[in-house]
Amino acid sequence: MDLGIAGKWALVCGASKGLGFGCAQALVREGVNVVINARNADALQLAASKLIAIGADAASARGQKGAPAVLTVAADITTPEGRAAVFAVPGGPERDFDIVVTNAGGPPPGDFRDWDRDAWIKAVDANMLTPIELIKATVDGMAARGFGRIVNITSSAVKAPIDILGLSNGARSGLTGFVAGAARSKIAGQGVTLNNLLPGKFDTDRLNTTMGAAATKTGKSLEDVRRAQQAQIPAGRFGTPEEFGAICAFLCSVPAGYITGQNVLADGGAYPGAY
Ligand SMILES: NC(=O)c1ccc[n+]([C@@H]2O[C@H](COP(=O)([O-])OP(=O)(O)OC[C@H]3O[C@@H](n4cnc5c(N)ncnc54)[C@H](OP(=O)(O)O)[C@@H]3O)[C@@H](O)[C@H]2O)c1
């Protein structure tokens, strides 16, 4: 299927590895120019090198000469300075992105009794207000040009909250409520879609860190924790960043223009409800 987005510009946040990288990879394969962001400059540069090679391979497979641009901005996207930097990257589209994938690290697990106001503000800043700021900065330009796709990487915890992830459950639910309203505003009739993509368990560094903590806490081996968690998923395995990226690229595509305001769950069947 031709996704119809070759030549467009995408901002992909939190994209040096994991799910963000998976999204950037899938978009570059479709010929989309990307600005990728993460805090660690070396890891980001390494990711950019991989994306340049992936973009060039995909372009030559399509018999095209040029490859999509891959620009990097090493910055904390949860800060106003970080967001200003992605809009000022030389050679980038400034605020005129056609596609925005919002993403940043998830808040730490814990017991809600231990979280003070600062912990909550940090979580809300990263997982609710940052995506909202990015949407605010780009959505009207998209509407004026008649095409826009925003995908927020959130979490399956929005549908099935996890007790120790209260900061994530709370902050991301705030974003989910905002998106449900904003997606159905005037922009829906101006070619702009706004959706959330909800990962269940995907094989990334973050998941490995969480499983490592569980292994230490329970005295089990990492392999045992991994096996036990996979056994709870009907698909019998974790998802891959590549699979996640493919769903993201579809939501960013022209054929997905009638999908908006949705929470798209990718979890190998782990969520047990019918709706
Ligand atoms: N993997 C899963 O199974 C899963 C499940 C549910 C929800 N999620 C959520 O999905 C998101 C992505 O998870 P992941 O598994 O891909 O994590 P990951 O493998 O740890 O990758 C996170 C990426 O985001 C970047 N990042 C983190 N904080 C950032 C910030 N403040 N500004 C800019 N970049 C930042 C990281 O690079 P730097 O550290 O260099 O900045 C890295 O590139 C997280 O919010 C996570 O909570 C993941």
Side-chain angles (χ1 to χ4, degrees):
M1 182 193 294
D2 179 6
L3 298 190
I5 46 178
K8 298 211 178 284
W9 273 97
L11 167 62
V12 188
C13 305
S16 63
K17 60 181 182 175
L19 304 180
F21 181 82
C23 295
Q25 171 177 263
L27 291 169
V28 158
R29 278 199 182 120
E30 295 302 319
V32 175
N33 304 305
V34 294
V35 174
I36 57 167
N37 152 260
R39 291 164 302 180
N40 183 298
D42 291 341
L44 190 63
Q45 212 41 59
L46 192 64
S49 310
K50 289 184 198 163
L51 292 173
I52 288 166
I54 290 166
D57 282 354
S60 87
R62 283 196 298 267
Q64 291 163 348
K65 280 204 180 101
V70 178
L71 306 179
T72 59
V73 180
D76 184 340
I77 199 66
T78 68
T79 64
E81 298 76 23
R83 292 190 289 276
V86 299
F87 296 131
V89 56
E94 300 190 350
R95 279 164 196 262
D96 290 345
F97 284 99
D98 308 295
I99 293 165
V100 174
V101 180
T102 76
N103 180 33
D111 185 319
F112 71 88
R113 293 165 191 83
D114 300 328
W115 297 325
D116 58 13
R117 179 176 166 77
D118 279 354
W120 273 106
I121 296 294
K122 213 170 158 201
V124 168
D125 238 349
N127 299 109
M128 178 182 172
L129 299 182
T130 293
I132 292 174
E133 288 293 342
L134 290 167
I135 292 165
K136 193 171 94 182
T138 54
V139 82
D140 288 333
M142 292 175 175
R145 295 188 301 280
F147 179 90
R149 299 285 184 264
I150 294 175
V151 175
N152 303 300
I153 300 180
T154 66
S155 173
S156 60
V158 169
K159 273 183 87 87
I162 301 164
D163 61 349
I164 57 164
L165 293 180
L167 289 170
S168 172
N169 302 336
R172 295 190 205 271
S173 294
L175 175 65
T176 305
F178 168 79
V179 167
R184 292 167 175 86
S185 68
K186 197 175 158 206
I187 60 166
Q190 296 172 306
V192 181
T193 70
L194 194 39
N195 292 292
N196 302 315
L197 186 44
L198 284 54
K201 287 200 162 82
F202 279 80
D203 215 346
T204 66
D205 282 1
R206 178 175 164 89
L207 184 65
N208 276 312
T209 308
T210 321
M211 286 189 301
T216 310
K217 202 171 159 189
T218 56
K220 290 182 183 154
S221 73
L222 182 60
E223 211 26 67
D224 280 350
V225 172
R226 211 181 151 82
R227 245 195 310 272
Q229 292 203 3
Q230 286 179 331
Q232 287 169 7
I233 302 169
R237 64 175 179 87
F238 298 140
T240 68
E242 196 154 4
E243 289 174 313
F244 190 85
I247 304 167
C248 177
F250 178 69
L251 288 175
C252 295
S253 73
V254 172
Y258 208 51
I259 302 175
T260 196
Q262 299 304 305
N263 290 289
V264 178
L265 181 62
D267 70 349
Y271 177 71
Y275 306 103

